[in-house]
Structures are given as structure tokens and as C-alpha cells.
Amino acid sequence: MAIERTFSIIKPDAVAKNHIGAIYSRFESAGLKIIASKMVHLTKEQAEGFYAEHSERPFFGALVSFMTSGPIMVQVLEGENAVLANREIMGATNPAEAARGTLRADYAVSIDENAVHGSDALASAEREIAYFFAADEICPRTR
Ligand code: GDP
Ligand code: MG
């Protein structure tokens, strides 16, 4: 098993509903360690840059507007197969299709306000971590 790092966001809807602690508890119960964390309120430019891969999609404007609507929590999770493990904890993008017991089944209301983000691959995890965190803001506990 490989120890990986992945990038996670608790989106504005879940922060507004006071679900930060419940969601952190899910990560920790699954064996993922939070090795960096902060609250930020994205500017339009930051949200557009983060989601640049979706810039041609019809929902891009709605996505940027939602992601800038309130503060978010951003965190780096570390653990065995962290990228896939976090995607499993999150559940499907559309909460209507998310498996029981996943974060999106329990905390998301719609495909556009779906509680959490998680990197979809190791390469995107590296890029997304670097988008939000300087090296000295990350505190690995697996040394
Ligand atoms: P994820 O990796 O599971 O978050 O899904 P994607 O990378 O495909 O999409 C990024 C984000 O864009 C999703 O988490 C949703 O917030 C939003 N999104 C994706 N598809 C749709 C859609 O069809 N409509 C709307 N309104 N938002 C969407
Ligand atoms: Mg994605």
C-alpha cells in the first residue's frame, strides 16, 4: 500500500451548515490524517483558476459563483491510497447517485452544492495542494 497525499475542500454549503467537524471525523475514522488545514474565502479569480479544467463546461459560472459564496475549509489528507480512499468517502458527484454512508449522500443536496471536493488522481492532488499550501504549511506525520 502506498502512502499518498490528496487535496480536499469542504465547500461553502457544508461549512455554512456547520458540518466541518463531522466531515473531519469521517476522514480520521477512515485512517486519513489531516496534515494541513485552513479556512479561506476564495476570490472569483482563485475559484476560476482552481477549476480551470471545467472552464468550457456549461456549469462553470454557477460553480465559480457557488465556490465564492462563502468560506471553505481546505485540507491535505495523508494515508494509504489517500486519493482513492477520499473519493470513496466522498461518494458520487451527484448526491442522488452517492452510496449510502458517503459524505455526499449525507451532507450534499444537489450536484452543484455537493459538500466536498477531492482530487481525482495523484497528479491533480499535487497540483491542487500546491495551489493552496506552501511547503512549510504542511506537517507530515509519517516521517
Ligand atoms: P467531482 O470531481 O466529483 O467534484 O466532479 P467534477 O470534477 O466532474 O465536477 C466538479 C464540480 O463541478 C462538482 O463537484 C460539482 O460541484 C460541479 N458540477 C459537476 N457537474 C455539474 C453539473 O452537471 N451541474 C452543475 N451545476 N454542477 C456540476
Ligand atoms: Mg473533479
Side-chain angles (χ1 to χ4, degrees):
M1 289 278 207
I3 299 294
E4 296 176 350
R5 290 178 185 180
T6 193
F7 176 72
S8 160
I9 300 178
I10 302 179
K11 294 185 177 183
D13 56 326
V15 171
K17 290 183 204 153
N18 252 2
H19 293 319
I20 297 169
I23 291 172
Y24 272 20
S25 177
R26 296 280 185 97
F27 295 147
E28 293 193 318
S29 299
L32 294 176
K33 293 181 168 135
I34 299 160
I35 62 167
S37 170
K38 61 188 170 190
M39 182 174 275
V40 296
H41 193 148
L42 294 179
T43 64
K44 184 166 177 278
E45 290 69 31
Q46 286 174 316
E48 286 172 347
F50 181 74
Y51 280 117
E53 67 183 297
H54 295 305
S55 62
E56 303 304 318
R57 308 281 287 276
F59 57 80
F60 185 64
L63 175 61
V64 168
S65 163
F66 166 58
M67 290 301 292
T68 56
S69 66
I72 60 173
M73 289 298 300
V74 294
Q75 46 279 328
V76 179
L77 308 176
E78 184 176 75
E80 282 180 6
N81 296 317
V83 172
L84 185 61
N86 182 44
R87 293 293 301 199
E88 286 177 359
I89 293 165
M90 289 165 57
T93 307
N94 184 348
E97 292 161 13
R100 277 185 71 178
T102 61
L103 291 173
R104 282 166 165 169
D106 290 345
Y107 299 117
V109 286
S110 65
I111 191 167
D112 39 10
E113 302 205 358
N114 60 2
V116 284
H117 165 85
S119 309
D120 60 8
L122 265 182
S124 49
E126 254 184 59
R127 177 175 54 78
E128 292 172 358
I129 290 168
Y131 195 83
F132 281 99
F133 291 100
D136 67 0
E137 292 180 297
I138 300 170
C139 301
R141 286 183 273 148
T142 50
R143 281 181 289 198

